[in-house]
Amino acid sequence: MLFHVRMDVAIPRDLDPDERTRLVSTEKARALDLQRQGTWVHLWRVVGQYSNISVFDVDSSDALHDILWNLPLFPFMTVQITPLTEHPSALSANP
Amino acid sequence: MLFHVRMDVAIPRDLDPDERTRLVSTEKARALDLQRQGTWVHLWRVVGQYSNISVFDVDSSDALHDILWNLPLFPFMTVQITPLTEHPSALSANP
Amino acid sequence: MLFHVRMDVAIPRDLDPDERTRLVSTEKARALDLQRQGTWVHLWRVVGQYSNISVFDVDSSDALHDILWNLPLFPFMTVQITPLTEHPSALSANP
Amino acid sequence: MLFHVRMDVAIPRDLDPDERTRLVSTEKARALDLQRQGTWVHLWRVVGQYSNISVFDVDSSDALHDILWNLPLFPFMTVQITPLTEHPSALSANP
Amino acid sequence: MLFHVRMDVAIPRDLDPDERTRLVSTEKARALDLQRQGTWVHLWRVVGQYSNISVFDVDSSDALHDILWNLPLFPFMTVQITPLTEHPSALSANP
Amino acid sequence: MLFHVRMDVAIPRDLDPDERTRLVSTEKARALDLQRQGTWVHLWRVVGQYSNISVFDVDSSDALHDILWNLPLFPFMTVQITPLTEHPSALSANP
Amino acid sequence: MLFHVRMDVAIPRDLDPDERTRLVSTEKARALDLQRQGTWVHLWRVVGQYSNISVFDVDSSDALHDILWNLPLFPFMTVQITPLTEHPSALSANP
Amino acid sequence: MLFHVRMDVAIPRDLDPDERTRLVSTEKARALDLQRQGTWVHLWRVVGQYSNISVFDVDSSDALHDILWNLPLFPFMTVQITPLTEHPSALSANP
Amino acid sequence: MLFHVRMDVAIPRDLDPDERTRLVSTEKARALDLQRQGTWVHLWRVVGQYSNISVFDVDSSDALHDILWNLPLFPFMTVQITPLTEHPSALSANP
Amino acid sequence: MLFHVRMDVAIPRDLDPDERTRLVSTEKARALDLQRQGTWVHLWRVVGQYSNISVFDVDSSDALHDILWNLPLFPFMTVQITPLTEHPSALSANP
């Protein structure tokens, strides 16, 4: 089941630099891991923004919540979620 | 070069039904054609909306404009465009 | 899997009255049917609005789309969808 | 009488951690208590947000205000209230 | 129980003039009746707008819905509802 | 002359507690005083918000400004003002 | 007493041209009359908009409502009202 | 050439009180000076807001920028600019 | 003097096709003429929108109003105007 | 390929003054450099705002991201990007 997620990140200026480095690198490791598992199926940077647009393929909306809630940078994100489904004009629907 | 595009469609109720059928089917043919060419790389339906979220891979923003402007349903669409770039945590950037 | 859905209805004034009656009554029959099946688990009227707030329990977001897209009044609705999950302070999570 | 309430929580980063722990746990105890009394009839987490969507069943809007105003996390919440009533297509209205 | 209600009225230009006259006069009669009953406790015109700001005193939010839904001009109104309660600095709370 | 005023209050967390207590109690005394004078004719708490909806009866908009500007909590308020006039369907206009 | 008023005008395309001409010319005559009386003290066109920004000097907000409500183009206007008062740095306050 | 300017002022609570006093008094002196020169042609306080609505008469938009950018309180202002022109119904256009 | 102007065009579907053709071609001729005169100094199409972003170089805001108000498609445009001035980091300011 | 970019700058008051000076001067040097290279083709100050409106000519949206992301003041900017293309009524399209 696909969900479109936009994450806008705003790390506070006064966050301890070591903590910031740690959070950003664990976030990256987690993102790579979820991509390798086939869960985080698309991850793009929005041009000119500290933001990403992503697509997740999960078994349930509960699973999506677990993933997002536990991202290292979650406390500093604004998250927008849009459920997706197959488009009748998509190639996959017109084999 | 990737562009994220959301299209919200609102076909007027008083459009001639044959014209409507013709527009929707040529729109579908055009979408399939552009997907087969590798230009319209993702096309999803937004759940519960007459809308799609798409990603286009084009050589220039001029090319993107040509494609969108000439879609059969373009006159009835509200279009939002977001340029995308590779995310530093994407698999493609971390081979 | 639970989804929170708000539907704001705006039936055009110039819709044929018989068509309007037919749409409203088939919408009602469909709503009752989906409630009896345990899919449309909550359906409330918003005070002072031609709107409802609903909760659906479906197997997938695809299933939710199928239900909403095929509601008789769908063409006259504005729909907002919010995925829900169990709250850690809910009774169900604290047996 | 039913009220739909959305609460978005934003606990300040500089809140004393012990105070934070105390507030969150007393909030949870209060939520469970009100659910057991049949006042807080639904409590869901919004996927990907530090937010809940709830339905309260109270004798009056004054009673609702008392409950919300005295929640331990109230000072850190943005609250939106929507009064609900029975929908004419609800099962309860069509026995 | 008090509810603050703002009603913005937009009667379509193409409404039959006799129907318009009939709706406006039955609306006025209904408003006077509800004021005499002590239900519609305040009714003010917003300066420079075809709008009113009102306060209703009702036994329940269900009763409020019944009143608003059945106003003759309801189909042409945008309605915003805000539940009110006694203010701790009001005279009534400080006898 | 009537003015509808909504005041949303946001006292900063780091305000000295004694100063906060002093401001809140002088605000209350001022509100009671203005109500007794017949100037602050209605004062309601908005359910679930640190906000009030009020109606003032003043000789001029200059007088309204003087009152609001000098409220002890004014520096921490967001204020919205809507001028009111007699509604043609109000009881007062239909004796 | 001064009120700042912005009026955005949108005359429907299908208004009878003679009616349109009549409305626009009576609106102009009314505006000139109110300016000569010292009531409509400023009247500016907003650059690039079918809109004006005005200042009225009236005895009461009731008088302002009477003027606006009876403007020939009132049914086709969106009106925003902002009460004004003397600024402490204005020349008039610092003679 | 006339420009309509709204300035909303928000001086930070932690600004040094002497600095605040100095800024406010130099702002006032500057405002009086520009009014005496015929540049700042109108200056009104918005009722119930730390805001003003002003009209400037300048030789160019460059000149307007210079004035605003150098106001002592500029760093604490939100500024909205609307170019004005003579209204065809103004007295000045109908001598 | 430079003004940034965004024009969003929405020609009604029921406009007579000959009238539409006439308006679009006279609009184009007018745009070319103003560009050749050095008044309409930039004119870009917004990708995927029936909109343009333009920069005008005019002697006054009055002159800008005259140009915009008399564009053939003006009645079908939404116009947003932003006055510009030289940027201190522009090449022109750092010869 | 052209992109329209608006940058709104908000440097925090508590930034070290030397750091502020350093950032502003390196930003200016970078802006001049990119203008000389023909990449940052237009750079205007918005009147009365700490903002600029710019047009960039780049080979790709990836290149635009690189430029913006590495601007010294980027962490303190809100950035809005609008892709542009040639307008059919532009002189360049009508030689």
PDB file of all heavy atoms in Angstrom, chain F residues 20-38:
ATOM      1  N   ARG F  20       2.887  37.325  35.957  1.00  0.00           N
ATOM      2  CA  ARG F  20       1.743  36.675  35.308  1.00  0.00           C
ATOM      3  C   ARG F  20       0.498  36.773  36.189  1.00  0.00           C
ATOM      4  O   ARG F  20      -0.586  37.164  35.723  1.00  0.00           O
ATOM      5  CB  ARG F  20       2.082  35.217  35.021  1.00  0.00           C
ATOM      6  CG  ARG F  20       0.971  34.466  34.351  1.00  0.00           C
ATOM      7  CD  ARG F  20       1.283  32.951  34.272  1.00  0.00           C
ATOM      8  NE  ARG F  20       0.206  32.266  33.601  1.00  0.00           N
ATOM      9  CZ  ARG F  20       0.307  31.667  32.413  1.00  0.00           C
ATOM     10  NH1 ARG F  20       1.450  31.666  31.782  1.00  0.00           N
ATOM     11  NH2 ARG F  20      -0.736  31.073  31.872  1.00  0.00           N
ATOM     12  N   THR F  21       0.665  36.428  37.461  1.00  0.00           N
ATOM     13  CA  THR F  21      -0.464  36.490  38.390  1.00  0.00           C
ATOM     14  C   THR F  21      -1.016  37.912  38.474  1.00  0.00           C
ATOM     15  O   THR F  21      -2.231  38.136  38.450  1.00  0.00           O
ATOM     16  CB  THR F  21      -0.004  36.016  39.781  1.00  0.00           C
ATOM     17  OG1 THR F  21       0.505  34.690  39.644  1.00  0.00           O
ATOM     18  CG2 THR F  21      -1.159  36.039  40.777  1.00  0.00           C
ATOM     19  N   ARG F  22      -0.105  38.869  38.565  1.00  0.00           N
ATOM     20  CA  ARG F  22      -0.518  40.265  38.662  1.00  0.00           C
ATOM     21  C   ARG F  22      -1.300  40.696  37.415  1.00  0.00           C
ATOM     22  O   ARG F  22      -2.359  41.329  37.505  1.00  0.00           O
ATOM     23  CB  ARG F  22       0.723  41.154  38.827  1.00  0.00           C
ATOM     24  CG  ARG F  22       0.440  42.554  39.355  1.00  0.00           C
ATOM     25  CD  ARG F  22       1.689  43.431  39.375  1.00  0.00           C
ATOM     26  NE  ARG F  22       2.302  43.588  38.064  1.00  0.00           N
ATOM     27  CZ  ARG F  22       1.815  44.365  37.092  1.00  0.00           C
ATOM     28  NH1 ARG F  22       0.714  45.061  37.284  1.00  0.00           N
ATOM     29  NH2 ARG F  22       2.428  44.440  35.929  1.00  0.00           N
ATOM     30  N   LEU F  23      -0.772  40.321  36.231  1.00  0.00           N
ATOM     31  CA  LEU F  23      -1.430  40.717  34.987  1.00  0.00           C
ATOM     32  C   LEU F  23      -2.820  40.106  34.870  1.00  0.00           C
ATOM     33  O   LEU F  23      -3.790  40.775  34.506  1.00  0.00           O
ATOM     34  CB  LEU F  23      -0.584  40.286  33.778  1.00  0.00           C
ATOM     35  CG  LEU F  23       0.667  41.114  33.502  1.00  0.00           C
ATOM     36  CD1 LEU F  23       1.466  40.481  32.370  1.00  0.00           C
ATOM     37  CD2 LEU F  23       0.287  42.546  33.139  1.00  0.00           C
ATOM     38  N   VAL F  24      -2.910  38.806  35.197  1.00  0.00           N
ATOM     39  CA  VAL F  24      -4.202  38.128  35.064  1.00  0.00           C
ATOM     40  C   VAL F  24      -5.222  38.720  36.027  1.00  0.00           C
ATOM     41  O   VAL F  24      -6.394  38.916  35.672  1.00  0.00           O
ATOM     42  CB  VAL F  24      -4.027  36.604  35.249  1.00  0.00           C
ATOM     43  CG1 VAL F  24      -5.373  35.906  35.352  1.00  0.00           C
ATOM     44  CG2 VAL F  24      -3.221  36.021  34.083  1.00  0.00           C
ATOM     45  N   SER F  25      -4.780  39.045  37.235  1.00  0.00           N
ATOM     46  CA  SER F  25      -5.768  39.561  38.196  1.00  0.00           C
ATOM     47  C   SER F  25      -6.146  41.018  37.894  1.00  0.00           C
ATOM     48  O   SER F  25      -7.307  41.400  38.054  1.00  0.00           O
ATOM     49  CB  SER F  25      -5.273  39.399  39.637  1.00  0.00           C
ATOM     50  OG  SER F  25      -4.197  40.263  39.870  1.00  0.00           O
ATOM     51  N   THR F  26      -5.211  41.819  37.407  1.00  0.00           N
ATOM     52  CA  THR F  26      -5.612  43.188  37.038  1.00  0.00           C
ATOM     53  C   THR F  26      -6.474  43.167  35.776  1.00  0.00           C
ATOM     54  O   THR F  26      -7.398  43.968  35.636  1.00  0.00           O
ATOM     55  CB  THR F  26      -4.390  44.115  36.830  1.00  0.00           C
ATOM     56  OG1 THR F  26      -3.489  43.517  35.904  1.00  0.00           O
ATOM     57  CG2 THR F  26      -3.653  44.352  38.142  1.00  0.00           C
ATOM     58  N   GLU F  27      -6.191  42.228  34.858  1.00  0.00           N
ATOM     59  CA  GLU F  27      -7.040  42.066  33.668  1.00  0.00           C
ATOM     60  C   GLU F  27      -8.474  41.741  34.099  1.00  0.00           C
ATOM     61  O   GLU F  27      -9.437  42.303  33.578  1.00  0.00           O
ATOM     62  CB  GLU F  27      -6.486  40.932  32.795  1.00  0.00           C
ATOM     63  CG  GLU F  27      -7.308  40.577  31.581  1.00  0.00           C
ATOM     64  CD  GLU F  27      -6.979  41.432  30.355  1.00  0.00           C
ATOM     65  OE1 GLU F  27      -5.916  42.072  30.328  1.00  0.00           O
ATOM     66  OE2 GLU F  27      -7.810  41.474  29.435  1.00  0.00           O
ATOM     67  N   LYS F  28      -8.593  40.837  35.073  1.00  0.00           N
ATOM     68  CA  LYS F  28      -9.931  40.441  35.533  1.00  0.00           C
ATOM     69  C   LYS F  28     -10.659  41.630  36.182  1.00  0.00           C
ATOM     70  O   LYS F  28     -11.839  41.872  35.901  1.00  0.00           O
ATOM     71  CB  LYS F  28      -9.821  39.288  36.520  1.00  0.00           C
ATOM     72  CG  LYS F  28     -11.161  38.810  37.049  1.00  0.00           C
ATOM     73  CD  LYS F  28     -11.010  37.538  37.882  1.00  0.00           C
ATOM     74  CE  LYS F  28     -12.357  37.029  38.347  1.00  0.00           C
ATOM     75  NZ  LYS F  28     -12.208  35.702  38.992  1.00  0.00           N
ATOM     76  N   ALA F  29      -9.928  42.364  37.019  1.00  0.00           N
ATOM     77  CA  ALA F  29     -10.537  43.528  37.668  1.00  0.00           C
ATOM     78  C   ALA F  29     -10.990  44.552  36.627  1.00  0.00           C
ATOM     79  O   ALA F  29     -12.083  45.132  36.716  1.00  0.00           O
ATOM     80  CB  ALA F  29      -9.539  44.159  38.636  1.00  0.00           C
ATOM     81  N   ARG F  30     -10.166  44.757  35.623  1.00  0.00           N
ATOM     82  CA  ARG F  30     -10.502  45.718  34.570  1.00  0.00           C
ATOM     83  C   ARG F  30     -11.727  45.250  33.790  1.00  0.00           C
ATOM     84  O   ARG F  30     -12.621  46.059  33.465  1.00  0.00           O
ATOM     85  CB  ARG F  30      -9.287  45.862  33.639  1.00  0.00           C
ATOM     86  CG  ARG F  30      -9.441  46.876  32.539  1.00  0.00           C
ATOM     87  CD  ARG F  30      -9.306  48.306  33.049  1.00  0.00           C
ATOM     88  NE  ARG F  30      -9.471  49.274  31.959  1.00  0.00           N
ATOM     89  CZ  ARG F  30     -10.383  50.246  31.965  1.00  0.00           C
ATOM     90  NH1 ARG F  30     -11.189  50.412  33.011  1.00  0.00           N
ATOM     91  NH2 ARG F  30     -10.472  51.063  30.949  1.00  0.00           N
ATOM     92  N   ALA F  31     -11.783  43.955  33.496  1.00  0.00           N
ATOM     93  CA  ALA F  31     -12.920  43.409  32.742  1.00  0.00           C
ATOM     94  C   ALA F  31     -14.208  43.579  33.540  1.00  0.00           C
ATOM     95  O   ALA F  31     -15.254  43.966  32.990  1.00  0.00           O
ATOM     96  CB  ALA F  31     -12.687  41.935  32.416  1.00  0.00           C
ATOM     97  N   LEU F  32     -14.135  43.293  34.843  1.00  0.00           N
ATOM     98  CA  LEU F  32     -15.342  43.429  35.674  1.00  0.00           C
ATOM     99  C   LEU F  32     -15.782  44.890  35.719  1.00  0.00           C
ATOM    100  O   LEU F  32     -16.978  45.202  35.614  1.00  0.00           O
ATOM    101  CB  LEU F  32     -15.067  42.894  37.081  1.00  0.00           C
ATOM    102  CG  LEU F  32     -15.030  41.360  37.166  1.00  0.00           C
ATOM    103  CD1 LEU F  32     -14.453  40.916  38.507  1.00  0.00           C
ATOM    104  CD2 LEU F  32     -16.449  40.789  36.984  1.00  0.00           C
ATOM    105  N   ASP F  33     -14.813  45.779  35.853  1.00  0.00           N
ATOM    106  CA  ASP F  33     -15.106  47.204  35.911  1.00  0.00           C
ATOM    107  C   ASP F  33     -15.803  47.669  34.625  1.00  0.00           C
ATOM    108  O   ASP F  33     -16.834  48.354  34.676  1.00  0.00           O
ATOM    109  CB  ASP F  33     -13.776  47.950  36.109  1.00  0.00           C
ATOM    110  CG  ASP F  33     -13.985  49.381  36.558  1.00  0.00           C
ATOM    111  OD1 ASP F  33     -14.944  49.612  37.331  1.00  0.00           O
ATOM    112  OD2 ASP F  33     -13.199  50.249  36.146  1.00  0.00           O
ATOM    113  N   LEU F  34     -15.266  47.278  33.491  1.00  0.00           N
ATOM    114  CA  LEU F  34     -15.847  47.701  32.210  1.00  0.00           C
ATOM    115  C   LEU F  34     -17.224  47.070  31.990  1.00  0.00           C
ATOM    116  O   LEU F  34     -18.091  47.661  31.338  1.00  0.00           O
ATOM    117  CB  LEU F  34     -14.902  47.347  31.061  1.00  0.00           C
ATOM    118  CG  LEU F  34     -13.668  48.242  30.959  1.00  0.00           C
ATOM    119  CD1 LEU F  34     -12.587  47.588  30.100  1.00  0.00           C
ATOM    120  CD2 LEU F  34     -14.044  49.609  30.361  1.00  0.00           C
ATOM    121  N   GLN F  35     -17.426  45.866  32.523  1.00  0.00           N
ATOM    122  CA  GLN F  35     -18.769  45.259  32.423  1.00  0.00           C
ATOM    123  C   GLN F  35     -19.762  46.036  33.285  1.00  0.00           C
ATOM    124  O   GLN F  35     -20.896  46.287  32.870  1.00  0.00           O
ATOM    125  CB  GLN F  35     -18.714  43.796  32.861  1.00  0.00           C
ATOM    126  CG  GLN F  35     -17.971  42.901  31.862  1.00  0.00           C
ATOM    127  CD  GLN F  35     -17.810  41.480  32.372  1.00  0.00           C
ATOM    128  OE1 GLN F  35     -18.694  40.659  32.246  1.00  0.00           O
ATOM    129  NE2 GLN F  35     -16.654  41.191  32.979  1.00  0.00           N
ATOM    130  N   ARG F  36     -19.314  46.403  34.484  1.00  0.00           N
ATOM    131  CA  ARG F  36     -20.241  47.136  35.377  1.00  0.00           C
ATOM    132  C   ARG F  36     -20.606  48.503  34.795  1.00  0.00           C
ATOM    133  O   ARG F  36     -21.688  49.016  35.007  1.00  0.00           O
ATOM    134  CB  ARG F  36     -19.590  47.305  36.757  1.00  0.00           C
ATOM    135  CG  ARG F  36     -19.545  45.995  37.530  1.00  0.00           C
ATOM    136  CD  ARG F  36     -19.152  46.156  38.987  1.00  0.00           C
ATOM    137  NE  ARG F  36     -18.874  44.831  39.568  1.00  0.00           N
ATOM    138  CZ  ARG F  36     -17.650  44.342  39.799  1.00  0.00           C
ATOM    139  NH1 ARG F  36     -16.570  45.062  39.529  1.00  0.00           N
ATOM    140  NH2 ARG F  36     -17.513  43.138  40.312  1.00  0.00           N
ATOM    141  N   GLN F  37     -19.651  49.097  34.035  1.00  0.00           N
ATOM    142  CA  GLN F  37     -19.925  50.392  33.394  1.00  0.00           C
ATOM    143  C   GLN F  37     -20.827  50.271  32.159  1.00  0.00           C
ATOM    144  O   GLN F  37     -21.197  51.274  31.564  1.00  0.00           O
ATOM    145  CB  GLN F  37     -18.615  51.047  32.950  1.00  0.00           C
ATOM    146  CG  GLN F  37     -17.698  51.473  34.079  1.00  0.00           C
ATOM    147  CD  GLN F  37     -16.327  51.899  33.532  1.00  0.00           C
ATOM    148  OE1 GLN F  37     -16.214  52.348  32.405  1.00  0.00           O
ATOM    149  NE2 GLN F  37     -15.301  51.768  34.361  1.00  0.00           N
ATOM    150  N   GLY F  38     -21.085  49.026  31.736  1.00  0.00           N
ATOM    151  CA  GLY F  38     -21.919  48.851  30.545  1.00  0.00           C
ATOM    152  C   GLY F  38     -21.141  49.009  29.245  1.00  0.00           C
ATOM    153  O   GLY F  38     -21.734  49.167  28.181  1.00  0.00           O
TER     154      GLY F  38
END
